[in-house]
Amino acid sequence: MYTEFEQINKASIMINSLCIFKNLKDDSVLLKYKTLLKYLNSKDISVEEGIELYTDFIYELLNKADGKSLKKYIIDMIFLDNNPFTKIIDEQNSCDRLFNQVHYELNALQYISSIESSAIKDAIIIKGNVKEFEIGIVKSLMDFDSDLECNISSKAIDKLKVNILNCDNWGDALESIVEFYKQYGTGIFGEYRAFVWEHEDGAPYLRGIESPDPVRLENLVGYEYQKEIIIDNTKQFLNGYQANNMLLYGSRGTGKSSTVKAIINEYYDDGLRLIEVDKNKLCDFTKIIRILKSKNLKFIIFVDDLVFEEGEASYSALKTILEGGVENRSNNILIYATTNRKHLVKETFSERSGDDVHANDTIEEKLSLADRFGMTVSFYSPDQKEFLKIIDGVAEARGIKVEKEYLHAEALKWVRWYNARSPRTAIQFINWLEGALKQ
């Protein structure tokens, strides 16, 4: 049996031995942990310094791990990491030598995270030659190897993480990890289903959405023909056939954006992911493609509420994307955009009476951007009959039982008072009705 000092020394060396998961060594939590272990391996230590390094590590763990144990935090980091192992999986290759190293490092990470808080506290007490009153202070320091209560979701990645935690040797889970990566993707793409392309301090990056809109196709009442077109195109895309970029056009609140989000939720297990990109960031499209094209997944680039002002750079960027330049072609990416305007570029009367010799050509060029999408699906405001059908569907899904005559009368009254007929208005009305009935 190893003594606590030998365990601490071995864990410190194992951190240095990480090669595939080298990025973890540079993580702020692991850096502070490594600094603590290295200090405890010193010949002489002071109790003050030991306590400070220990609390620095605990603070960083609490700050970044949301109350998780060190073990759970390290497992999260394993799945978020991009490294030579995940690159080989993305490229659908194999390398026994590399896989053997991954097997070793998974076991090493298990050992590193298995040092108990009590062992580190004992090391501070013994090596620090603490005074009697200092012993109580050291022993009262917060532990890092116990978990706060948490509910494990039904997500495949959460189930796999629990299985790894329960393994005697984390390396034995390597085959399960490889299978998970092949189906759900590596790094952040295995953790999240939807992302937003953002800029922070001038650097663009993909931010995973922790709690994306859970809407499902079955929750969207009406517009069955439109949904069928979008579903068929998406299935074609997922099955590896040529598919079209799509423009979803129509009135506000008709469910265009919700349909796209529902499509992602429906086909997440089939390897579909959503990247939401603001139209002002379309100039970054080449950078986005470079990140996505090597992934063994399918991506929908989602641009919501698309309309351009005169002279916007993003207009030219989108035109180039839709025309498919050499670097803008990737068979695992489609663009789905929504708009409330028939023409995507705002046009002024002055343009029609300006001094451009070929004014009509210029205007036609602007108005033709929508035609560069392979398919346009129209979402028109429902007539009264269709609107009441949507009301009935939403009320049934919510379990609201009232006389249909009363339901319809109140719904039409709501439309007159507030918004025009649309699925969004129907949901807003049902939200009000549900609360009113419970008062």
Side-chain angles (χ1 to χ4, degrees):
M1 287 289 293
Y2 287 112
T3 67
E4 60 222 14
F5 300 115
E6 289 171 329
Q7 289 176 326
I8 290 170
N9 184 46
K10 183 178 178 182
S12 181
I13 294 171
M14 279 184 159
I15 292 177
N16 289 327
S17 74
L18 296 177
C19 172
I20 303 301
F21 294 103
K22 185 178 183 297
N23 293 330
L24 271 64
K25 290 196 291 188
D26 298 325
D27 174 73
S28 60
V29 172
L30 270 294
L31 277 174
K32 290 187 180 295
Y33 187 52
K34 178 184 174 183
T35 301
L36 172 62
L37 297 182
K38 185 176 180 181
Y39 182 72
L40 295 178
N41 280 317
S42 303
K43 187 175 181 180
D44 297 310
I45 72 170
S46 74
V47 65
E48 293 88 350
E49 185 71 11
I51 289 174
E52 184 172 5
L53 292 175
Y54 182 90
T55 53
D56 282 351
F57 158 63
I58 292 293
Y59 176 83
E60 195 66 21
L61 180 63
L62 289 171
N63 196 38
K64 292 191 66 175
D66 297 326
K68 295 175 184 174
S69 68
L70 180 61
K71 274 188 178 182
K72 282 190 175 180
Y73 178 72
I74 286 179
I75 286 179
D76 286 345
M77 292 299 294
I78 287 171
F79 280 95
L80 289 173
D81 193 39
N82 289 309
N83 51 57
F85 170 50
T86 58
K87 183 178 179 182
I88 277 184
I89 301 299
D90 284 333
E91 294 172 351
Q92 302 182 57
N93 292 325
S94 181
C95 175
D96 290 342
R97 187 160 54 102
L98 187 145
F99 282 14
N100 289 337
Q101 179 65 21
V102 173
H103 186 279
Y104 158 76
E105 292 192 18
L106 288 171
N107 286 335
L109 287 166
Q110 181 183 21
Y111 188 90
I112 289 164
S113 62
S114 295
I115 306 297
E116 295 184 357
S117 305
S118 58
I120 291 183
K121 293 177 187 179
D122 287 345
I124 295 174
I125 291 170
I126 295 169
K127 280 198 163 188
N129 295 315
V130 299
K131 298 179 179 66
E132 188 67 31
F133 76 91
E134 293 172 328
I135 294 176
I137 295 174
V138 174
K139 287 188 175 293
S140 68
L141 296 174
M142 184 176 180
D143 294 332
F144 60 83
D145 49 9
S146 58
D147 296 317
L148 297 180
E149 289 292 326
C150 61
N151 296 318
I152 301 300
S153 74
S154 59
K155 289 169 59 177
I157 192 167
D158 289 334
K159 291 179 179 178
L160 178 55
K161 287 177 180 179
V162 170
N163 289 338
I164 295 173
L165 279 169
N166 292 328
C167 277
D168 292 332
N169 298 291
W170 288 5
D172 294 342
L174 177 58
E175 187 176 337
S176 298
I177 293 173
V178 171
E179 290 305 311
F180 173 85
Y181 281 160
K182 286 180 178 178
Q183 180 176 359
Y184 293 97
T186 61
I188 59 174
F189 300 108
E191 187 77 32
Y192 305 103
R193 69 183 60 197
F195 305 83
V196 175
W197 181 256
E198 293 192 343
H199 287 190
E200 186 172 321
D201 298 328
Y205 72 103
L206 282 173
R207 176 177 63 83
I209 300 175
E210 288 285 351
S211 300
D213 191 334
V215 63
R216 306 292 297 221
L217 289 169
E218 62 194 38
N219 303 139
L220 302 175
V221 182
Y223 299 96
E224 299 303 324
Y225 174 70
Q226 289 87 340
K227 286 189 290 187
E228 184 178 345
I229 294 173
I230 300 167
I231 289 169
D232 287 346
N233 188 66
T234 305
K235 283 183 176 179
Q236 199 166 310
F237 177 49
L238 288 170
N239 290 329
Y241 301 113
Q242 292 294 321
N244 283 293
N245 298 316
M246 302 188 81
L247 180 65
L248 281 57
Y249 158 72
S251 305
R252 292 179 295 109
T254 48
K256 304 181 296 296
S257 301
S258 294
T259 301
V260 177
K261 294 169 184 175
I263 287 285
I264 299 299
N265 293 330
E266 202 73 27
Y267 298 106
Y268 164 72
D269 288 339
D270 297 309
L272 189 63
R273 302 291 181 270
L274 180 79
I275 314 289
E276 185 168 355
V277 181
D278 186 270
K279 71 179 180 72
N280 297 320
K281 297 184 177 71
L282 286 172
C283 295
D284 290 338
F285 195 78
T286 299
K287 296 176 183 175
I288 298 172
I289 281 194
R290 288 172 185 167
I291 294 172
L292 305 183
K293 67 180 180 180
S294 63
K295 301 299 178 182
N296 188 30
L297 295 168
K298 302 288 186 180
F299 298 93
I300 288 177
I301 305 294
F302 178 47
V303 189
D304 201 15
D305 197 18
L306 188 63
V307 63
F308 295 103
E309 299 287 347
E310 171 68 23
E312 277 194 71
S314 50
Y315 166 83
S316 298
L318 181 58
K319 178 184 171 186
T320 302
I321 293 164
L322 294 173
E323 288 175 346
V326 174
E327 198 167 12
N328 287 326
R329 290 185 181 275
S330 182
N331 59 9
N332 68 336
I333 297 173
L334 281 183
I335 299 172
Y336 285 6
T338 68
T339 183
N340 300 330
R341 294 175 58 93
K342 187 174 182 180
H343 302 308
L344 298 180
V345 183
K346 290 183 179 179
E347 184 189 4
T348 62
F349 283 109
S350 61
E351 287 180 305
R352 294 184 177 271
S353 58
D355 57 1
D356 188 343
V357 175
H358 302 289
N360 287 337
D361 290 346
T362 302
I363 292 169
E364 285 301 315
E365 167 66 17
K366 288 185 175 182
L367 300 184
S368 69
L369 181 61
D371 297 336
R372 287 181 165 84
F373 286 88
M375 301 173 73
T376 298
V377 183
S378 299
F379 285 69
Y380 295 108
S381 294
D383 58 22
Q384 181 168 302
K385 182 179 178 181
E386 182 65 21
F387 176 70
L388 293 176
K389 182 180 176 182
I390 294 172
I391 288 289
D392 292 340
V394 178
E396 182 180 353
R398 296 279 188 92
I400 296 175
K401 293 182 170 56
V402 294
E403 291 291 333
K404 186 168 286 190
E405 185 177 341
Y406 168 78
L407 178 67
H408 288 182
E410 290 299 311
L412 295 177
K413 192 186 301 181
W414 181 273
V415 168
R416 289 194 298 272
W417 286 348
Y418 297 105
N419 295 315
R421 293 188 298 265
S422 73
R424 182 187 296 165
T425 301
I427 291 172
Q428 290 167 346
F429 163 70
I430 294 297
N431 288 343
W432 167 80
L433 180 64
E434 190 172 27
L437 292 174
K438 291 180 180 178
Q439 289 183 9

